[in-house]
Amino acid sequence: MRAHRRRRVVAALAATTAALVISGTVPAAARPAPPTLIAPMEADFLWGVAASGYQSEGHAPDSNWSRYVAAGKTQDPYRDSIDFTAHYQSDIALAAALGVTVYRVGIEWARVQPEAGTWDANGLAFYDNVISAINTSGMRPMLTIDHWVYPGWEVDKGGWNSPGMVEDWLRNARMLVDRYAAHKPLWVTFNEPAFYIVNELRHGGLSPASVPAMHDRIVQAHKSIYDYIHHVQPDAMVTSNVAYIPAGEDVVNKPLIDTIAAELDFVGIDYYYGLSPDSLLGMMSFTELWKNPLQPEGIYYALQHYSRRFPGKPLYIVENGMPTENGMPRADGYDRADALRDTVYWLQRAKADGMNLIGYNYWSLTDNYEWGSYTPRFGLYTVDVLSDPTLTRKPTDAVAAYTDITRAHGVAPDYRPTRAPKNCSLVDAVASCADPVTIPR
């Protein structure tokens, strides 16, 4: 975008915001004054870490994603990722040492049902051991049923192009609920369904004509397993998390969220990147993730967005983290510890302003396979898959920062973010421009 076009966009946004404020569509000066001292989270607030099965486990069975890799549709080969299957006990111990109370993992359908109608005892035993280790370490599992991966035999049947996919998916999901509900997990049915659809399109697993059908089938599967989970585990908390899209959230995620709103016990939000008029020039990258603007105050606006859409419904940041390029320093100078502390400050501000925030997961405990590449690094512990055969977990500066946060239930009362909030964040578009958050002097 050229400079003169960018100035026109910024001017248009400002004019639109002003008009809406004047008309009463957006209240002016409605936000409480920023507190001089920020209160900690309650003792029962859920601090967590997150990971997915395929991205971390290694020894991948036949699946849609193993086939995408084999077909050369990814930048890096999969290898064995960070080999969570061999390191799960020590990784879970690392998480427990952080003081977190939730550990999110995925259960890979392809691992537990490698052939149609056949359950693999070894695959199930692996997840039995993982979930037991999470419980034994004093944490609660958050279990993701579908994190974008399904078995190769299901690919051969057409995947999400096929009407039979829903019943096959539910057969696996019901088995998992029956097996693991006694562990009192939090449940995620589908991870980021909109991007699930996008990735299937990008890699050829879904035909463009089948996009509406995959959307409808995900809705059907979510609603059905939601009811089943509550039949088996009546007090369960179930969600399908969304990847928050600055300035486009309602276009991308609203159609599905509105359809399943009655079957969401909490709104699961993944927030990574911000957007503001001064960052429109660079826009967003889906490959060089470390170049995207972080803008941690945007997590406040994302929570505000869903707090206003669903008043009183619990909110949970299911994923949030900072990417780097192969662990190198970011061009914007942000380090992982400062980004984490700044983010937690805005979580505490959201809570102080009455938003029903119940939990936060850092993505991720370790670096992993970022859907085709080992270059983006999100881990609290870094792992150099391509050059370190020992797959040593090396702590970043955020390990100590997160440990301090969980012990104190947040950042210090007098903490101030290292980055000032943007004057007009587009994360929640007009609302955040008309009534921006500020930091007390």
Side-chain angles (χ1 to χ4, degrees):
M1 187 183 295
R2 294 185 178 181
H4 67 280
R5 285 186 60 203
R6 180 170 169 268
R7 286 194 294 270
R8 286 205 303 268
V9 169
V10 173
L13 284 167
T16 301
T17 298
L20 288 168
V21 172
I22 291 169
S23 70
T25 305
V26 177
R31 193 179 309 288
T36 303
L37 298 177
I38 189 72
M41 296 297 194
E42 296 92 339
D44 62 352
F45 186 82
L46 299 173
W47 300 103
V49 292
S52 85
Y54 183 79
Q55 288 178 270
S56 61
E57 289 174 359
H59 313 281
D62 182 30
S63 71
N64 58 327
W65 266 93
S66 64
R67 295 189 184 191
Y68 299 151
V69 174
K73 296 180 179 180
T74 61
Q75 176 182 328
D76 291 328
Y78 181 72
R79 301 193 179 192
D80 278 323
S81 186
I82 61 158
D83 201 0
F84 179 72
T85 55
H87 294 84
Y88 75 89
Q89 290 179 317
S90 55
D91 282 352
I92 290 169
L94 290 176
L98 293 167
V100 300
T101 53
V102 171
Y103 196 128
R104 180 189 178 200
V105 294
I107 302 179
E108 288 303 308
W109 181 6
R111 193 175 299 281
V112 300
Q113 196 178 21
E115 298 177 9
T118 301
W119 303 107
D120 184 82
N122 291 330
L124 289 168
F126 168 67
Y127 291 114
D128 293 348
N129 292 336
V130 167
I131 294 167
S132 176
I134 291 171
N135 285 151
T136 301
S137 298
M139 295 178 288
R140 184 178 184 182
M142 176 182 280
L143 301 182
T144 307
I145 296 173
D146 189 328
H147 205 124
W148 302 354
V149 183
Y150 50 89
W153 58 265
E154 197 67 68
V155 176
D156 295 336
K157 293 175 64 175
W160 287 101
N161 296 290
S162 169
M165 179 67 155
V166 174
E167 189 49 47
D168 288 346
W169 188 95
L170 286 170
R171 190 174 296 110
N172 170 68
R174 293 184 193 113
M175 184 276 297
L176 299 181
V177 173
D178 289 343
R179 194 173 186 98
Y180 298 122
H183 294 269
K184 301 298 181 184
L186 300 152
W187 292 95
V188 178
T189 58
F190 289 92
N191 179 75
E192 300 179 356
F195 276 89
Y196 192 0
I197 293 171
V198 168
N199 274 309
E200 286 296 281
L201 275 171
R202 287 177 57 213
H203 294 93
L206 184 71
S207 68
S210 293
V211 169
M214 182 173 177
H215 174 279
D216 292 346
R217 287 165 188 156
I218 286 175
V219 168
Q220 181 185 350
H222 171 87
K223 288 186 172 186
S224 181
I225 201 61
Y226 175 91
D227 289 341
Y228 190 80
I229 290 170
H230 280 276
H231 171 73
V232 178
Q233 184 184 340
D235 60 349
M237 295 287 283
V238 183
T239 197
S240 175
N241 54 315
V242 298
Y244 196 95
I245 308 300
E249 177 63 14
D250 282 347
V251 174
V252 176
N253 288 312
K254 190 174 188 297
L256 187 136
I257 291 299
D258 281 356
T259 307
I260 64 173
E263 290 82 25
L264 293 175
D265 299 313
F266 63 98
V267 180
I269 303 166
D270 297 356
Y271 174 84
Y272 287 97
Y273 311 113
L275 190 64
S276 56
D278 67 342
S279 65
L280 285 173
L281 183 61
M283 300 307 289
M284 303 292 285
S285 172
F286 289 99
T287 54
E288 298 178 311
L289 303 178
W290 53 89
K291 293 184 177 180
N292 293 334
L294 296 179
Q295 298 180 0
E297 74 275 9
I299 206 165
Y300 178 103
Y301 294 124
L303 290 165
Q304 172 185 270
H305 179 85
Y306 278 104
S307 182
R308 290 175 174 173
R309 282 192 60 196
F310 302 110
K313 189 181 283 286
L315 310 173
Y316 195 125
I317 299 296
V318 172
E319 292 182 22
N320 167 259
M322 186 190 88
T324 64
E325 182 182 10
N326 285 319
M328 296 185 296
R330 287 175 56 97
D332 59 12
Y334 236 154
D335 63 41
R336 200 174 301 280
D338 280 344
L340 176 58
R341 285 186 288 257
D342 288 358
T343 297
V344 170
Y345 170 86
W346 291 109
L347 297 179
Q348 289 171 248
R349 283 284 300 273
K351 190 72 172 179
D353 286 351
M355 299 180 211
N356 190 16
L357 178 62
I358 63 170
Y360 168 85
N361 293 344
Y362 187 88
W363 179 276
S364 54
L365 177 67
T366 63
D367 295 334
N368 55 35
Y369 190 62
E370 190 55 40
W371 302 109
S373 174
Y374 289 109
T375 300
R377 305 285 188 88
F378 285 87
L380 294 169
Y381 286 85
T382 192
V383 185
D384 194 340
V385 173
L386 298 181
S387 64
D388 179 9
T390 68
L391 299 176
T392 300
R393 276 67 166 151
K394 299 176 182 177
T396 67
D397 57 348
V399 169
Y402 202 13
T403 304
D404 289 343
I405 286 166
T406 61
R407 287 173 178 169
H409 304 293
V411 293
D414 59 351
Y415 184 83
R416 297 292 182 269
T418 63
R419 301 292 192 279
K422 296 294 182 180
N423 289 330
C424 183
S425 170
L426 302 181
V427 172
D428 199 20
V430 175
S432 54
C433 295
D435 192 13
V437 293
T438 57
I439 298 172
R441 293 178 182 272

